[in-house]
Amino acid sequence: MTLQEKEQEIIDEFAIYDDWMDKYEYIIELGKELPLIDEGLKTDNRLIEGCQSRVWLHTDFDGENMQFSADSDAIITKGIIALLIRVFNNESPKNIASSSLRFIDEIGLHEHLSPTRSNGLASMIRTMKMEALKKV
Amino acid sequence: MNETIVKLDVEKIRSQFPILHQEVYGKPLIYFDNGATAQKPKSVIDAISKYYTKDNANIHRGVHHLSQIATEQYEDARKIIQKAINAPTSEQVLFTKGTTDGINLVAFSFGQMLKAGDEIIISEMEHHSNIVPWQMLCERQGCILKVIPINEKGELKMDVFESYLSDKTKLVAVTHISNTLGTINPVQEIIEKAHALGAKVLIDGAQSIQHTKVDVQELDCDFFAFSGHKVFGPTGVGILYGKKDILDAMPPYQGGGDMIAKVTFAKTTYNELPYKFEAGTPNIAGGICLGTAFEYLNGLDMDAIHDHEQELLAYAESELKKIDGVRLIGTAENKTSVVSFVVEGTHPFDVGTLLDKQGIAVRTGHHCTQPLMDIFKIPGTIRASFAFYNSKEEIDVFIKALQRSVNMLL
């Protein structure tokens, strides 16, 4: 499945929700389900400090594709991270660096990526792309 | 419904605030973020529109008709505000950009008259804007900052404050009402005790101006700073009141037009109060319409407002306590209509996001009081702050929405 196909899959999953609270119920479930990061990796050098919530991000590269694991102290932030990781994991640095992440807009979560939202997500995506760019 | 609420006529008041009558995410808006900024009555919105439609001109120097009208309105607004806070003269009412600007003015200008070893007292519950300017001053001048601690209810430890006071104390800068905790500080007592040792007192009135009748002469404070937007006026304008002898002794803050008497390359002399501290073209519409906001408030019964807001506070606190895991942050005996809380097992950001999707605007996070969050050992709080246009019915909707959010998150 290509990165774009994974994005489309998420867009289709969210299409069934026409109520905001149902949408967030699903995001919260995603946040609760995923053990995203090894506790030992939640160190200060992996911490992205947001004004509202905090995000820890760990990056791996096997020479071909990238792997991310991450966590947040806020469950909604964590749910959105789960979606980002689903899209970015096992993708080449080139694909990640050039991705527009249109699914975020399509499912109505763009507000979470605004720098003023200060939940660490905007900085996290920036860091993910920077890490990818280093490997291109 | 008791007599006070009937007297205040919340429905009538609500009809004067156009912004309240809208839906967000398909739900009726409930605006509980009044501590951050208050909404504007129609009279203020109309005044802004009228100014730019009919009266806009630069003030103080124009000989033409519009300039004179704009100047008159601007200076009239200063007088309206002077009366509202009971300042002795209008020249002691300085227009600023807001509370932060007013505090920075004092920290820079009054601060220039301080020397190494002089002490400044603030408190643990200050907003960053009443912490950082003093830290910067201490770095510049070598002054020493002392911080009054609070107890577990969020009240100042007055005995420690008294122990900090000495002849080295030059300024006490404290908030009248805590934006995070709602605590109303005993500023009268603080002022009396500071004055007894010759120290000056600055009151951060950002929160109090919306909720209480401020009388700067009765308080006897040396400085009082507040923002227009928190008192139902426009953003980008505020007031710094100061005692005349102190303002006269203080050097100018910023240089530019309006603040000068005569400019030559050999020597420039400065204008008189209040213009000495008002360099450059000010926020003219903002100043005029802040006057309109105070005129609006003059038409309301502040005692009835106080009773109504206290009733909202008591009701919100008692309903919140019924929700499992809710912990109120800030339980001072003397509080304004602000409730800060956390819910065990949830993050404030998550709760705030879910409330937003149900049409309810609250503030989450550290509220620009990071040291206070460290003291309570929490990442932030959820804060609902009520104004006189809020109702018990809105609190009922909020409590239901909160319960639903918590159920989803746990």
Side-chain angles (χ1 to χ4, degrees):
Chain A
M1 200 183 278
T2 66
L3 189 149
Q4 285 72 24
E5 283 165 351
K6 284 190 268 183
E7 286 195 90
Q8 190 56 50
E9 190 181 66
I10 293 170
I11 293 165
D12 293 342
E13 276 171 28
F14 273 81
I16 59 165
Y17 304 117
D18 51 10
D19 182 88
W20 278 101
M21 292 302 273
D22 294 339
K23 206 181 274 188
Y24 274 89
E25 187 109 54
Y26 181 53
I27 293 168
I28 290 164
E29 285 315 310
L30 292 175
K32 282 181 186 169
E33 272 169 22
L34 282 179
L36 291 169
I37 198 168
D38 190 84
E39 277 301 308
L41 292 174
K42 283 168 76 167
T43 51
D44 281 352
N45 60 338
R46 294 186 179 87
L47 178 65
I48 299 167
E49 195 82 49
C51 204
Q52 297 259 353
S53 59
R54 303 193 296 170
V55 171
W56 289 267
L57 177 71
H58 175 64
T59 311
D60 268 327
F61 181 58
D62 62 9
E64 194 175 337
N65 289 327
M66 302 198 69
Q67 300 288 336
F68 297 100
S69 53
D71 198 0
S72 173
D73 52 356
I75 198 93
I76 291 173
T77 308
K78 203 171 158 183
I80 299 170
I81 290 172
L83 293 171
L84 285 166
I85 287 183
R86 191 167 133 196
V87 171
F88 277 168
N89 266 11
N90 298 313
E91 292 290 338
S92 70
K94 191 164 169 276
N95 277 351
I96 292 167
S98 62
S99 150
S100 68
L101 290 176
R102 76 177 176 101
F103 83 95
I104 297 275
D105 266 354
E106 293 272 337
I107 64 178
L109 296 180
H110 57 275
E111 66 182 76
H112 288 284
L113 298 191
S114 126
T116 56
R117 189 78 181 187
S118 306
N119 53 13
L121 273 175
S123 312
M124 187 185 90
I125 293 175
R126 206 161 41 240
T127 309
M128 286 170 131
K129 290 200 162 199
M130 291 290 280
E131 290 293 322
L133 272 172
K134 282 187 209 161
K135 309 285 190 298
V136 173
Chain B
M1 206 175 267
N2 76 17
E3 204 183 287
T4 308
I5 292 183
V6 174
K7 204 166 90 189
L8 191 65
D9 199 348
V10 175
E11 274 317 305
K12 189 179 163 206
I13 284 174
R14 289 182 70 83
S15 73
Q16 294 157 347
F17 289 80
I19 205 169
L20 298 176
H21 308 281
Q22 63 174 308
E23 292 192 341
V24 292
Y25 303 106
K27 304 278 174 7
L29 168 68
I30 293 181
Y31 187 77
F32 284 172
D33 196 17
N34 296 286
T37 196
Q39 299 303 348
K40 320 304 169 199
K42 191 156 184 307
S43 60
V44 170
I45 298 166
D46 289 347
I48 295 169
S49 173
K50 178 185 170 283
Y51 173 77
Y52 284 115
T53 308
K54 294 194 69 178
D55 307 326
N56 177 49
N58 209 337
I59 54 170
H60 292 151
R61 288 168 302 277
V63 292
H64 61 81
H65 178 72
L66 285 187
S67 175
Q68 287 179 20
I69 287 184
T71 304
E72 256 170 45
Q73 290 181 2
Y74 192 70
E75 292 307 325
D76 282 351
R78 198 192 300 272
K79 284 178 195 138
I80 293 168
I81 299 160
Q82 173 210 341
K83 273 198 192 128
I85 62 171
N86 194 30
T89 65
S90 65
E91 62 183 2
Q92 291 166 263
V93 177
L94 314 180
F95 279 115
T96 62
K97 289 188 287 183
T99 313
T100 301
D101 192 33
I103 294 172
N104 275 279
L105 189 161
V106 177
F108 184 87
S109 173
F110 180 80
Q112 269 191 288
M113 307 194 295
L114 302 187
K115 56 183 194 306
D118 285 347
E119 294 178 359
I120 297 160
I121 299 178
I122 61 169
S123 87
E124 281 182 343
M125 69 170 81
E126 300 309 317
H127 189 281
H128 293 165
S129 61
N130 199 28
I131 299 174
V132 184
W134 308 117
Q135 288 177 323
M136 290 163 69
L137 168 62
C138 288
E139 276 179 29
R140 278 198 307 272
Q141 308 280 87
C143 302
I144 295 156
L145 197 61
K146 293 203 158 179
V147 185
I148 313 166
I150 56 168
N151 64 22
E152 68 286 350
K153 287 167 144 184
E155 296 163 328
L156 295 178
K157 289 185 175 167
M158 290 296 284
D159 53 334
V160 181
F161 164 63
E162 283 181 57
S163 75
Y164 284 171
L165 277 173
S166 75
D167 55 3
K168 286 188 194 146
T169 312
K170 293 295 175 256
L171 185 76
V172 180
V174 288
T175 190
H176 197 167
I177 292 179
S178 158
N179 68 313
T180 304
L181 307 171
T183 312
I184 303 173
N185 284 325
V187 286
Q188 195 103 47
E189 187 186 339
I190 290 171
I191 292 163
E192 277 169 24
K193 290 193 164 137
H195 282 175
L197 281 147
K200 308 297 182 201
V201 181
L202 176 141
I203 301 297
D204 171 353
Q207 294 296 324
S208 62
I209 195 75
Q210 187 187 111
H211 299 290
T212 51
K213 181 93 187 123
V214 170
D215 182 330
V216 290
Q217 291 192 74
E218 195 187 319
L219 281 174
D220 197 27
C221 55
D222 300 284
F223 301 102
F224 190 94
F226 66 89
S227 301
H229 70 95
K230 284 189 165 64
V231 66
F232 314 100
T235 54
V237 68
I239 295 293
L240 174 70
Y241 157 82
K243 279 191 180 158
K244 185 168 161 37
D245 58 329
I246 307 172
L247 291 176
D248 275 333
M250 280 160 55
Y253 171 40
Q254 292 177 324
D258 236 19
M259 56 76 73
I260 46 88
K262 187 170 174 57
V263 177
T264 67
F265 286 112
K267 181 168 175 60
T268 290
T269 53
Y270 304 121
N271 206 337
E272 294 177 338
L273 289 175
Y275 310 113
K276 182 170 92 173
F277 291 108
E278 295 181 353
T281 297
N283 182 349
I284 304 168
I288 293 172
C289 300
L290 180 53
T292 314
F294 274 102
E295 277 179 327
Y296 173 78
L297 283 178
N298 284 342
L300 299 174
D301 178 347
M302 283 309 275
D303 291 334
I305 285 174
H306 178 261
D307 290 350
H308 174 61
E309 290 181 349
Q310 284 296 311
E311 192 174 336
L312 292 179
L313 172 68
Y315 186 62
E317 287 191 341
S318 78
E319 291 300 301
L320 276 170
K321 281 179 190 160
K322 292 178 192 165
I323 296 178
D324 275 348
V326 164
R327 177 181 152 213
L328 295 181
I329 306 293
T331 50
E333 298 297 328
N334 204 4
K335 258 189 82 169
T336 194
S337 52
V338 169
V339 275
S340 249
F341 61 96
V342 290
V343 188
E344 208 175 307
T346 70
H347 194 285
F349 171 78
D350 291 327
V351 177
T353 302
L354 295 178
L355 287 173
D356 172 49
K357 295 296 172 285
Q358 297 171 86
I360 299 162
V362 294
R363 183 140 294 231
T364 62
H366 53 61
H367 317 294
C368 294
T369 54
Q370 282 177 346
L372 199 52
M373 297 298 103
D374 293 342
I375 290 160
F376 282 101
K377 296 186 175 60
I378 46 176
T381 76
I382 303 143
R383 183 190 73 182
S385 49
F386 312 117
F388 52 64
Y389 43 62
N390 290 127
S391 67
K392 277 170 102 170
E393 291 74 20
E394 286 181 309
I395 291 175
D396 287 335
V397 178
F398 159 67
I399 293 290
K400 258 191 206 152
L402 175 65
Q403 185 67 68
R404 185 178 176 194
S405 309
V406 172
N407 292 346
M408 279 168 73
L409 290 166
L410 290 178

